Short mmCIF file of all heavy atoms in Angstrom, two decimals:
data_model
loop_
_atom_site.label_atom_id
_atom_site.label_comp_id
_atom_site.label_asym_id
_atom_site.label_seq_id
_atom_site.Cartn_x
_atom_site.Cartn_y
_atom_site.Cartn_z
N ARG A 1391 -81.84 86.23 35.87
CA ARG A 1391 -81.06 87.40 36.28
C ARG A 1391 -79.58 87.26 35.93
O ARG A 1391 -78.86 88.26 35.87
CB ARG A 1391 -81.21 87.63 37.79
CG ARG A 1391 -82.62 87.99 38.21
CD ARG A 1391 -82.73 88.18 39.71
NE ARG A 1391 -84.11 88.40 40.13
CZ ARG A 1391 -84.49 88.58 41.38
NH1 ARG A 1391 -83.57 88.54 42.36
NH2 ARG A 1391 -85.75 88.77 41.69
N PHE A 1392 -79.10 86.02 35.73
CA PHE A 1392 -77.69 85.84 35.41
C PHE A 1392 -77.44 85.00 34.16
O PHE A 1392 -76.30 84.87 33.71
CB PHE A 1392 -76.94 85.21 36.59
CG PHE A 1392 -77.38 83.83 36.97
CD1 PHE A 1392 -76.86 82.70 36.33
CD2 PHE A 1392 -78.30 83.63 37.99
CE1 PHE A 1392 -77.26 81.43 36.69
CE2 PHE A 1392 -78.71 82.35 38.35
CZ PHE A 1392 -78.18 81.24 37.70
N CYS A 1393 -78.48 84.43 33.58
CA CYS A 1393 -78.30 83.60 32.39
C CYS A 1393 -79.42 83.91 31.38
O CYS A 1393 -80.60 83.79 31.70
CB CYS A 1393 -78.32 82.12 32.76
SG CYS A 1393 -77.98 81.00 31.38
N ASN A 1394 -79.02 84.29 30.17
CA ASN A 1394 -80.00 84.65 29.15
C ASN A 1394 -80.47 83.47 28.32
O ASN A 1394 -81.43 83.58 27.57
CB ASN A 1394 -79.39 85.69 28.20
CG ASN A 1394 -79.10 87.01 28.90
OD1 ASN A 1394 -79.87 87.45 29.75
ND2 ASN A 1394 -77.98 87.63 28.56
N SER A 1395 -79.77 82.35 28.43
CA SER A 1395 -80.09 81.19 27.61
C SER A 1395 -80.13 79.95 28.49
O SER A 1395 -79.10 79.33 28.78
CB SER A 1395 -79.03 81.04 26.51
OG SER A 1395 -79.26 79.89 25.74
N PHE A 1396 -81.32 79.56 28.91
CA PHE A 1396 -81.45 78.41 29.78
C PHE A 1396 -82.79 77.71 29.57
O PHE A 1396 -83.72 78.25 28.97
CB PHE A 1396 -81.30 78.80 31.25
CG PHE A 1396 -82.45 79.61 31.80
CD1 PHE A 1396 -83.51 78.99 32.45
CD2 PHE A 1396 -82.47 81.00 31.68
CE1 PHE A 1396 -84.58 79.73 32.95
CE2 PHE A 1396 -83.52 81.75 32.18
CZ PHE A 1396 -84.57 81.12 32.81
N ARG A 1397 -82.85 76.49 30.07
CA ARG A 1397 -84.08 75.69 30.00
C ARG A 1397 -84.18 74.86 31.27
O ARG A 1397 -83.17 74.36 31.78
CB ARG A 1397 -84.04 74.79 28.77
CG ARG A 1397 -85.30 73.94 28.57
CD ARG A 1397 -85.31 73.33 27.18
NE ARG A 1397 -86.41 72.39 26.99
CZ ARG A 1397 -87.68 72.74 26.79
NH1 ARG A 1397 -88.00 74.01 26.75
NH2 ARG A 1397 -88.62 71.83 26.61
N ILE A 1398 -85.39 74.73 31.77
CA ILE A 1398 -85.65 73.89 32.94
C ILE A 1398 -86.37 72.63 32.48
O ILE A 1398 -87.36 72.70 31.75
CB ILE A 1398 -86.50 74.63 33.98
CG1 ILE A 1398 -85.74 75.84 34.54
CG2 ILE A 1398 -86.92 73.69 35.11
CD1 ILE A 1398 -86.57 76.72 35.43
N ILE A 1399 -85.86 71.49 32.89
CA ILE A 1399 -86.48 70.21 32.55
C ILE A 1399 -86.94 69.53 33.83
O ILE A 1399 -86.12 69.11 34.65
CB ILE A 1399 -85.51 69.29 31.79
CG1 ILE A 1399 -85.00 69.98 30.53
CG2 ILE A 1399 -86.18 67.95 31.46
CD1 ILE A 1399 -83.82 69.29 29.90
N VAL A 1400 -88.23 69.44 34.03
CA VAL A 1400 -88.79 68.74 35.18
C VAL A 1400 -88.98 67.28 34.81
O VAL A 1400 -89.55 66.97 33.76
CB VAL A 1400 -90.14 69.34 35.62
CG1 VAL A 1400 -90.69 68.57 36.82
CG2 VAL A 1400 -89.99 70.81 35.95
N VAL A 1401 -88.49 66.38 35.65
CA VAL A 1401 -88.70 64.95 35.43
C VAL A 1401 -89.67 64.47 36.50
O VAL A 1401 -89.33 64.37 37.68
CB VAL A 1401 -87.39 64.16 35.49
CG1 VAL A 1401 -87.66 62.69 35.18
CG2 VAL A 1401 -86.36 64.73 34.50
N ASP A 1402 -90.90 64.21 36.08
CA ASP A 1402 -91.93 63.72 37.00
C ASP A 1402 -91.74 62.23 37.18
O ASP A 1402 -92.05 61.43 36.29
CB ASP A 1402 -93.31 64.04 36.42
CG ASP A 1402 -94.43 63.44 37.25
OD1 ASP A 1402 -94.20 63.16 38.44
OD2 ASP A 1402 -95.54 63.23 36.71
N ASP A 1403 -91.23 61.85 38.35
CA ASP A 1403 -90.84 60.47 38.61
C ASP A 1403 -92.02 59.62 39.10
O ASP A 1403 -92.05 59.13 40.22
CB ASP A 1403 -89.70 60.46 39.65
CG ASP A 1403 -89.12 59.09 39.90
OD1 ASP A 1403 -89.15 58.25 38.97
OD2 ASP A 1403 -88.63 58.84 41.01
N GLY A 1404 -93.02 59.48 38.21
CA GLY A 1404 -94.16 58.62 38.53
C GLY A 1404 -95.03 59.14 39.66
O GLY A 1404 -95.55 58.34 40.47
N SER A 1405 -95.22 60.44 39.74
CA SER A 1405 -96.04 61.02 40.81
C SER A 1405 -97.47 60.51 40.74
O SER A 1405 -98.03 60.29 39.66
CB SER A 1405 -96.04 62.54 40.71
OG SER A 1405 -94.75 63.07 40.91
N SER A 1406 -98.09 60.37 41.92
CA SER A 1406 -99.48 59.92 41.99
C SER A 1406 -100.43 61.09 42.24
O SER A 1406 -101.64 60.89 42.37
CB SER A 1406 -99.64 58.87 43.10
OG SER A 1406 -99.24 59.40 44.35
N ASP A 1407 -99.90 62.29 42.33
CA ASP A 1407 -100.74 63.48 42.56
C ASP A 1407 -100.78 64.31 41.28
O ASP A 1407 -100.62 63.79 40.19
CB ASP A 1407 -100.21 64.29 43.75
CG ASP A 1407 -98.81 64.85 43.51
OD1 ASP A 1407 -98.24 64.59 42.42
OD2 ASP A 1407 -98.29 65.56 44.39
N GLY A 1408 -101.00 65.60 41.42
CA GLY A 1408 -101.14 66.48 40.25
C GLY A 1408 -99.86 67.17 39.83
O GLY A 1408 -99.92 68.24 39.21
N THR A 1409 -98.71 66.57 40.12
CA THR A 1409 -97.43 67.21 39.77
C THR A 1409 -97.34 67.53 38.28
O THR A 1409 -97.00 68.65 37.89
CB THR A 1409 -96.25 66.30 40.18
OG1 THR A 1409 -96.21 66.20 41.61
CG2 THR A 1409 -94.93 66.88 39.70
N ALA A 1410 -97.64 66.56 37.43
CA ALA A 1410 -97.53 66.77 35.98
C ALA A 1410 -98.44 67.90 35.51
O ALA A 1410 -98.05 68.73 34.68
CB ALA A 1410 -97.84 65.48 35.23
N SER A 1411 -99.66 67.96 36.06
CA SER A 1411 -100.59 69.01 35.68
C SER A 1411 -100.08 70.39 36.08
O SER A 1411 -100.21 71.36 35.33
CB SER A 1411 -101.96 68.77 36.33
OG SER A 1411 -102.53 67.56 35.85
N GLU A 1412 -99.48 70.47 37.26
CA GLU A 1412 -98.93 71.74 37.71
C GLU A 1412 -97.73 72.17 36.87
O GLU A 1412 -97.53 73.35 36.61
CB GLU A 1412 -98.54 71.65 39.19
CG GLU A 1412 -99.72 71.63 40.14
CD GLU A 1412 -100.53 72.92 40.05
OE1 GLU A 1412 -100.02 73.96 40.49
OE2 GLU A 1412 -101.66 72.88 39.51
N VAL A 1413 -96.92 71.19 36.46
CA VAL A 1413 -95.80 71.53 35.59
C VAL A 1413 -96.31 72.03 34.24
O VAL A 1413 -95.78 73.00 33.68
CB VAL A 1413 -94.87 70.31 35.39
CG1 VAL A 1413 -93.77 70.63 34.37
CG2 VAL A 1413 -94.25 69.90 36.71
N LYS A 1414 -97.33 71.40 33.72
CA LYS A 1414 -97.91 71.85 32.45
C LYS A 1414 -98.48 73.26 32.57
O LYS A 1414 -98.43 74.05 31.62
CB LYS A 1414 -98.98 70.87 31.99
CG LYS A 1414 -98.41 69.52 31.54
CD LYS A 1414 -99.50 68.52 31.20
CE LYS A 1414 -98.89 67.17 30.80
NZ LYS A 1414 -99.94 66.15 30.53
N ARG A 1415 -99.03 73.58 33.73
CA ARG A 1415 -99.51 74.94 33.95
C ARG A 1415 -98.35 75.93 33.92
O ARG A 1415 -98.46 77.02 33.35
CB ARG A 1415 -100.24 75.02 35.31
CG ARG A 1415 -100.86 76.37 35.61
CD ARG A 1415 -101.91 76.26 36.68
NE ARG A 1415 -101.37 76.03 38.01
CZ ARG A 1415 -101.14 77.01 38.90
NH1 ARG A 1415 -101.39 78.28 38.58
NH2 ARG A 1415 -100.68 76.71 40.09
N ALA A 1416 -97.22 75.53 34.50
CA ALA A 1416 -96.02 76.37 34.45
C ALA A 1416 -95.49 76.48 33.03
O ALA A 1416 -95.02 77.55 32.61
CB ALA A 1416 -94.95 75.80 35.38
N MET A 1417 -95.56 75.40 32.27
CA MET A 1417 -95.11 75.43 30.88
C MET A 1417 -95.92 76.41 30.04
O MET A 1417 -95.39 77.06 29.14
CB MET A 1417 -95.20 74.02 30.28
CG MET A 1417 -94.21 73.03 30.86
SD MET A 1417 -94.58 71.30 30.41
CE MET A 1417 -94.33 71.36 28.63
N ALA A 1418 -97.21 76.50 30.35
CA ALA A 1418 -98.07 77.44 29.63
C ALA A 1418 -97.68 78.89 29.95
O ALA A 1418 -97.85 79.79 29.12
CB ALA A 1418 -99.53 77.19 29.99
N ALA A 1419 -97.14 79.09 31.15
CA ALA A 1419 -96.73 80.43 31.57
C ALA A 1419 -95.34 80.80 31.06
O ALA A 1419 -95.03 81.98 30.88
CB ALA A 1419 -96.77 80.54 33.09
N ASP A 1420 -94.49 79.80 30.83
CA ASP A 1420 -93.11 80.07 30.38
C ASP A 1420 -92.61 78.90 29.55
O ASP A 1420 -92.52 77.77 30.03
CB ASP A 1420 -92.19 80.28 31.59
CG ASP A 1420 -90.91 80.98 31.21
OD1 ASP A 1420 -90.18 80.44 30.35
OD2 ASP A 1420 -90.61 82.06 31.75
N LYS A 1421 -92.27 79.17 28.30
CA LYS A 1421 -91.87 78.13 27.36
C LYS A 1421 -90.49 77.57 27.64
O LYS A 1421 -90.07 76.60 27.01
CB LYS A 1421 -91.93 78.68 25.93
CG LYS A 1421 -93.34 79.02 25.48
CD LYS A 1421 -93.35 79.53 24.05
CE LYS A 1421 -94.78 79.86 23.59
NZ LYS A 1421 -94.81 80.36 22.19
N ARG A 1422 -89.78 78.15 28.58
CA ARG A 1422 -88.45 77.64 28.92
C ARG A 1422 -88.53 76.43 29.86
O ARG A 1422 -87.51 75.85 30.21
CB ARG A 1422 -87.61 78.74 29.57
CG ARG A 1422 -87.21 79.84 28.60
CD ARG A 1422 -86.56 81.02 29.29
NE ARG A 1422 -87.52 81.76 30.10
CZ ARG A 1422 -87.25 82.93 30.70
NH1 ARG A 1422 -86.05 83.46 30.57
NH2 ARG A 1422 -88.18 83.53 31.41
N ILE A 1423 -89.73 76.03 30.22
CA ILE A 1423 -89.94 74.86 31.07
C ILE A 1423 -90.38 73.67 30.23
O ILE A 1423 -91.24 73.82 29.36
CB ILE A 1423 -90.99 75.16 32.16
CG1 ILE A 1423 -90.54 76.33 33.04
CG2 ILE A 1423 -91.26 73.92 33.01
CD1 ILE A 1423 -91.60 76.82 34.00
N GLY A 1424 -89.80 72.53 30.46
CA GLY A 1424 -90.18 71.30 29.77
C GLY A 1424 -90.48 70.20 30.77
O GLY A 1424 -90.15 70.31 31.95
N LEU A 1425 -91.09 69.12 30.32
CA LEU A 1425 -91.51 68.04 31.20
C LEU A 1425 -91.21 66.68 30.58
O LEU A 1425 -91.48 66.44 29.41
CB LEU A 1425 -93.02 68.14 31.47
CG LEU A 1425 -93.67 66.97 32.22
CD1 LEU A 1425 -93.14 66.88 33.65
CD2 LEU A 1425 -95.19 67.11 32.22
N ILE A 1426 -90.62 65.83 31.41
CA ILE A 1426 -90.50 64.40 31.10
C ILE A 1426 -91.31 63.68 32.17
O ILE A 1426 -91.12 63.92 33.37
CB ILE A 1426 -89.04 63.92 31.14
CG1 ILE A 1426 -88.21 64.62 30.05
CG2 ILE A 1426 -88.96 62.41 30.99
CD1 ILE A 1426 -86.73 64.34 30.16
N SER A 1427 -92.21 62.81 31.76
CA SER A 1427 -93.08 62.14 32.73
C SER A 1427 -93.25 60.68 32.35
O SER A 1427 -93.30 60.33 31.16
CB SER A 1427 -94.46 62.82 32.76
OG SER A 1427 -95.27 62.28 33.77
N TYR A 1428 -93.31 59.81 33.34
CA TYR A 1428 -93.54 58.39 33.12
C TYR A 1428 -94.37 57.86 34.30
O TYR A 1428 -94.38 58.46 35.38
CB TYR A 1428 -92.23 57.63 32.95
CG TYR A 1428 -91.12 58.05 33.89
CD1 TYR A 1428 -91.02 57.51 35.18
CD2 TYR A 1428 -90.18 59.00 33.51
CE1 TYR A 1428 -90.01 57.90 36.05
CE2 TYR A 1428 -89.17 59.40 34.37
CZ TYR A 1428 -89.09 58.85 35.63
OH TYR A 1428 -88.09 59.24 36.49
N PRO A 1429 -95.07 56.74 34.12
CA PRO A 1429 -96.08 56.32 35.12
C PRO A 1429 -95.54 55.73 36.41
O PRO A 1429 -96.20 55.84 37.44
CB PRO A 1429 -96.91 55.29 34.36
CG PRO A 1429 -95.98 54.75 33.31
CD PRO A 1429 -95.13 55.92 32.90
N ASP A 1430 -94.37 55.10 36.39
CA ASP A 1430 -93.88 54.38 37.57
C ASP A 1430 -92.77 55.15 38.28
O ASP A 1430 -91.88 55.73 37.63
CB ASP A 1430 -93.35 53.00 37.18
CG ASP A 1430 -94.42 52.13 36.55
OD1 ASP A 1430 -95.58 52.20 37.02
OD2 ASP A 1430 -94.11 51.40 35.58
N ASN A 1431 -92.79 55.14 39.61
CA ASN A 1431 -91.74 55.78 40.40
C ASN A 1431 -90.48 54.92 40.34
O ASN A 1431 -90.47 53.78 40.78
CB ASN A 1431 -92.21 55.93 41.85
CG ASN A 1431 -91.15 56.54 42.73
OD1 ASN A 1431 -90.69 55.90 43.68
ND2 ASN A 1431 -90.76 57.76 42.46
N LYS A 1432 -89.40 55.49 39.78
CA LYS A 1432 -88.17 54.73 39.56
C LYS A 1432 -87.03 55.18 40.45
O LYS A 1432 -85.99 54.54 40.50
CB LYS A 1432 -87.76 54.84 38.09
CG LYS A 1432 -88.75 54.21 37.12
CD LYS A 1432 -88.29 54.37 35.68
CE LYS A 1432 -89.26 53.74 34.71
NZ LYS A 1432 -89.34 52.27 34.85
N GLY A 1433 -87.18 56.31 41.14
CA GLY A 1433 -86.13 56.79 42.02
C GLY A 1433 -85.47 58.06 41.51
O GLY A 1433 -85.44 58.33 40.31
N LYS A 1434 -84.95 58.84 42.44
CA LYS A 1434 -84.35 60.13 42.09
C LYS A 1434 -83.17 59.97 41.14
O LYS A 1434 -83.00 60.77 40.22
CB LYS A 1434 -83.90 60.85 43.37
CG LYS A 1434 -83.35 62.25 43.11
CD LYS A 1434 -82.94 62.93 44.40
CE LYS A 1434 -82.38 64.33 44.13
NZ LYS A 1434 -81.94 65.00 45.39
N GLY A 1435 -82.35 58.95 41.36
CA GLY A 1435 -81.19 58.75 40.49
C GLY A 1435 -81.60 58.53 39.05
O GLY A 1435 -81.01 59.11 38.13
N TYR A 1436 -82.61 57.72 38.85
CA TYR A 1436 -83.11 57.47 37.50
C TYR A 1436 -83.64 58.76 36.88
O TYR A 1436 -83.36 59.06 35.71
CB TYR A 1436 -84.22 56.42 37.52
CG TYR A 1436 -84.81 56.14 36.16
CD1 TYR A 1436 -84.27 55.16 35.34
CD2 TYR A 1436 -85.90 56.87 35.70
CE1 TYR A 1436 -84.81 54.92 34.08
CE2 TYR A 1436 -86.45 56.65 34.45
CZ TYR A 1436 -85.90 55.66 33.63
OH TYR A 1436 -86.43 55.44 32.38
N ALA A 1437 -84.41 59.52 37.66
CA ALA A 1437 -85.01 60.75 37.16
C ALA A 1437 -83.94 61.76 36.73
O ALA A 1437 -84.04 62.36 35.65
CB ALA A 1437 -85.92 61.36 38.22
N VAL A 1438 -82.93 61.94 37.56
CA VAL A 1438 -81.86 62.88 37.23
C VAL A 1438 -81.12 62.44 35.97
O VAL A 1438 -80.88 63.23 35.05
CB VAL A 1438 -80.88 63.03 38.41
CG1 VAL A 1438 -79.62 63.80 37.98
CG2 VAL A 1438 -81.55 63.75 39.57
#
């Protein structure tokens, strides 16, 4: 509504549930969403 040029980057910080799958479902619905994912939980600071 206020920005015509943007991108969302989700950083999946080693989730053990279906977070990555749900993000991929969102990516299929809107190409402005991206995903970075890795297997081990490293902390919010690392993810940001």
Side-chain angles (χ1 to χ4, degrees):
R1391 295 179 185 179
F1392 63 85
C1393 184
N1394 295 322
S1395 177
F1396 70 93
R1397 182 167 173 76
I1398 296 173
I1399 302 167
V1400 179
V1401 183
D1402 174 22
D1403 186 29
S1405 296
S1406 58
D1407 63 359
T1409 294
S1411 296
E1412 287 297 290
V1413 175
K1414 290 175 182 177
R1415 184 161 72 96
M1417 291 168 65
D1420 198 301
K1421 295 181 179 180
R1422 290 171 291 188
I1423 300 171
L1425 172 65
I1426 296 172
S1427 186
Y1428 41 85
D1430 300 322
N1431 178 243
K1432 296 179 180 294
K1434 184 179 179 181
Y1436 178 89
V1438 169

